[in-house]
């Protein structure tokens, strides 16, 4: 999460410098390349953080299951493709050949990643609920469900706003008011980061990371 916040801050700084040079001199002076690099890293980090939290990963669970690894293998390449399409869209315009195709590729890849993440989170909660019926030890994990459910609602709201509402605002707004959609997207992202960091902040008693005494003894004995 710290790395995500740092890279996101660098992305916004590079975006500001990039737009400033374009406004003053008409060229980006290479800042567009730096911006796209940090934008790519920040988006991939964001989706990785959402996947890991949604599937119950923490420092107390250092290993990922096969299902979670497969999900990351799917999400990361799709985000790479979406970012490549975003770069092509950002550096060209509607007059360029295949611009519409790249726009569709970006939208399709981005929406597919969002759907995969939502499906994985719902599946994780359903599995947690089902195992609690047969495994007495898993009953204690049900305390994590309210936290994961809140996070699930938070992710759904963020993805819906940034992927649907913001896109509609960009399509409907006049060119002189395009900054409104950008501002709305960044404010929503900032709010999402703050709430996510607050929910999973390192505190002594955290429902998400709580383990019983037996598990702690086993971990210490293995070390």
């Amino acid at each position: 999460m710290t790395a995500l916040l740092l890279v996101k801050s660098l992305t916004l700084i590079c975006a500001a410098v990039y737009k400033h040079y374009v406004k003053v001199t008409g060229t980006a002076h290479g800042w567009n390349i730096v911006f796209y690099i940090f934008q790519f890293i920040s988006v991939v980090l964001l989706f990785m953080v959402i996947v890991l939290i949604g599937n119950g990963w923490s420092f107390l669970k250092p290993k990922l299951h096969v299902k979670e690894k497969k999900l990351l293998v799917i999400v990361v390449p799709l985000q790479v493709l979406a970012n490549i399409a975003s770069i092509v869209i950002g550096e060209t315009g509607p007059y360029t050949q295949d611009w519409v195709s790249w726009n569709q590729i970006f939208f399709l890849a981005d929406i597919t990643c969002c759907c995969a993440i939502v499906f994985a989170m719902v599946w994780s909660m359903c599995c947690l609920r089902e195992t609690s019926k047969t495994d007495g030890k898993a009953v204690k994990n049900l305390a994590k469900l309210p936290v994961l459910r809140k996070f699930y609602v938070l992710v759904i709201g963020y993805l819906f706003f940034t992927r649907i509402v913001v896109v509609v605002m960009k399509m409907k707004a006049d060119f002189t008011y395009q900054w409104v959609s950008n501002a709305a997207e960044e404010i929503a992202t900032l709010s999402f980061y703050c709430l996510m960091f607050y929910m999973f902040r390192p505190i002594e008693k955290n429902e998400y990371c709580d383990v019983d005494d037996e598990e702690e003894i086993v971990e210490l004995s293995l070390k």
Side-chain angles (χ1 to χ4, degrees):
M1 287 184 177
T2 304
L4 173 60
L5 186 60
L6 176 62
V7 174
K8 180 62 178 179
S9 301
L10 292 174
T11 303
L12 295 177
I13 293 172
C14 293
V17 178
Y18 163 38
K19 297 297 182 180
H20 171 74
Y21 274 113
V22 170
K23 180 180 179 181
V24 174
T25 64
T27 56
H29 294 280
W31 280 98
N32 56 334
I33 299 175
V34 181
F35 164 70
Y36 288 128
I37 291 173
F38 281 117
Q39 184 188 40
F40 164 74
I41 298 174
S42 65
V43 173
V44 172
L45 275 178
L46 173 62
F47 276 85
M48 288 181 65
V49 167
I50 294 175
V51 169
L52 293 175
I53 292 178
N55 284 278
W57 182 86
S58 69
F59 288 110
L60 299 175
K61 179 187 170 185
K63 295 183 179 180
L64 294 174
H65 296 303
V66 176
K67 179 191 68 174
E68 297 159 3
K69 291 180 180 179
K70 288 181 178 179
L71 182 61
L72 285 175
V73 169
I74 295 173
V75 169
V76 172
L78 280 175
Q79 274 304 307
V80 172
L81 179 61
N83 275 272
I84 293 174
S86 177
I87 292 172
V88 173
I89 294 169
E91 290 296 301
T92 59
Y95 58 87
T96 307
Q97 188 178 7
D98 297 330
W99 182 84
V100 175
S101 299
W102 280 107
N103 208 335
Q104 293 174 345
I105 290 173
F106 165 72
F107 185 76
L108 180 61
D110 204 38
I111 293 298
T112 303
C113 287
C114 296
C115 293
I117 287 176
V118 172
F119 175 78
M121 292 175 63
V122 175
W123 181 263
S124 179
M125 288 190 293
C126 291
C127 290
L128 190 63
R129 189 180 291 108
E130 288 297 324
T131 54
S132 65
K133 298 177 181 179
T134 56
D135 188 0
K137 194 176 184 180
V139 176
K140 298 180 180 180
N141 291 331
L142 286 177
K144 300 177 183 179
L145 276 180
V147 181
L148 290 177
R149 193 177 294 113
K150 292 177 184 178
F151 181 66
Y152 167 73
V153 174
L154 180 63
V155 171
I156 291 294
Y158 171 73
L159 294 178
F160 175 79
F161 185 82
T162 55
R163 268 60 184 181
I164 304 297
V165 177
V166 171
V167 172
V168 173
M169 290 174 63
K170 289 180 179 180
M171 293 173 59
K172 298 297 183 180
D174 188 73
F175 177 77
T176 55
Y177 295 101
Q178 285 291 315
W179 64 270
V180 176
S181 58
N182 294 330
E185 183 177 7
E186 295 303 333
I187 291 172
T189 302
L190 177 62
S191 303
F192 174 73
Y193 283 10
C194 291
L195 290 171
M196 181 171 62
F197 293 173
Y198 177 78
M199 289 172 62
F200 302 101
R201 67 194 185 281
I203 56 178
E204 184 177 358
K205 293 295 182 180
N206 193 321
E207 295 178 358
Y208 180 78
C209 300
D210 191 27
V211 293
D212 56 18
D213 295 334
E214 294 181 2
E215 290 179 346
E216 190 172 358
I217 292 172
V218 171
E219 290 289 336
L220 291 174
S221 64
L222 289 176
K223 292 180 180 179

